[in-house]
Amino acid sequence: MEGRAVVVREGERFRVVDLEGQQVGDLFAFVADDVREYASAEHTRVALSRLFPRPGESFLTNRRRPILRFEEDASPGRHDMLCAACDPTRYASLGVVGPHASCQENLLAAMAGLGHAGVDVPQPINLFMSIPVGADGTLGWETAPTAPGDSVTLRAELDAIVVLSACPQDLNPINGPGPTALAVELLDRP
Ligand SMILES: [Zn+2]
């Protein structure tokens, strides 16, 4: 499972499609001309006064500027803003011995491919990920409720480098029977 980076200009829309369903996508967005500024789940939660995003709302950067607007949700509407990207340490803690793909490494590789080595790893916007919070604060680890072809559409509010990692997590149920591919479609390119 891999990640991809695309440059999206201010005003342009893109769509993330869950091709086969039940697949989480870790979404990151960096300001194109200064990658030290990026979409930040914690700053977004403060602005929204809510744990999870809804259409019509914007994701904020760590400098509290809108970077992506959540335009349309053609999915069951579950998107997590609590969980860190999976990384080698997470897989080691789950008992994996040896290499295992991770969203952190997918992000770093995709950004390095555009000349931005060693960027910060922000807490992602976990598209299609269903992590309900119980009354006692317990996190649920549910399977992504998406069906094949479900999608979300976002619009860049700044020139941004958007990175999407199809989460390779296969040691808990979030990706159903196993990880599958996502697609990113740029909607406003001729
Ligand atoms: Zn992941």
Side-chain angles (χ1 to χ4, degrees), residues 5-51:
V6 291
V7 177
V8 186
R9 297 293 170 199
E10 180 181 346
E12 289 182 338
R13 295 168 302 151
F14 63 97
R15 181 187 292 142
V16 177
V17 185
D18 185 354
L19 296 171
E20 298 182 34
Q22 299 186 325
Q23 176 63 42
V24 168
D26 283 34
L27 181 71
F28 306 87
F30 295 79
V31 173
D33 61 9
D34 182 357
V35 296
R36 294 171 302 178
E37 183 176 4
Y38 43 76
S40 166
E42 55 264 47
H43 293 82
T44 301
R45 292 195 301 266
V46 170
L48 302 181
S49 289
R50 205 172 333 96
L51 296 178

Side-chain angles (χ1 to χ4, degrees), residues 1 16-26 74-79 126-130 141-151 165-182:
M1 301 301 291
V16 177
V17 185
D18 185 354
L19 296 171
E20 298 182 34
Q22 299 186 325
Q23 176 63 42
V24 168
D26 283 34
S75 83
R78 305 299 305 230
H79 310 288
N126 296 306
L127 296 173
F128 313 128
M129 187 176 187
S130 181
W141 295 90
E142 297 188 343
T143 297
T146 32
D150 282 357
S151 69
S165 168
C167 182
Q169 177 61 264
D170 54 3
L171 296 159
N172 66 29
I174 64 166
N175 292 312
T180 53
L182 302 170

Side-chain angles (χ1 to χ4, degrees), residues 27-32 34-44 59-68 107 111 118-125 158-163:
L27 181 71
F28 306 87
F30 295 79
V31 173
D34 182 357
V35 296
R36 294 171 302 178
E37 183 176 4
Y38 43 76
S40 166
E42 55 264 47
H43 293 82
T44 301
F59 298 97
L60 265 54
T61 71
N62 53 326
R63 296 175 190 165
R64 301 190 197 271
R65 295 198 297 164
I67 184 168
L68 295 177
L107 165 68
M111 289 298 286
V119 293
D120 289 348
V121 179
Q123 202 241 282
I125 302 157
L158 299 166
D159 290 351
I161 302 170
V162 171
V163 180

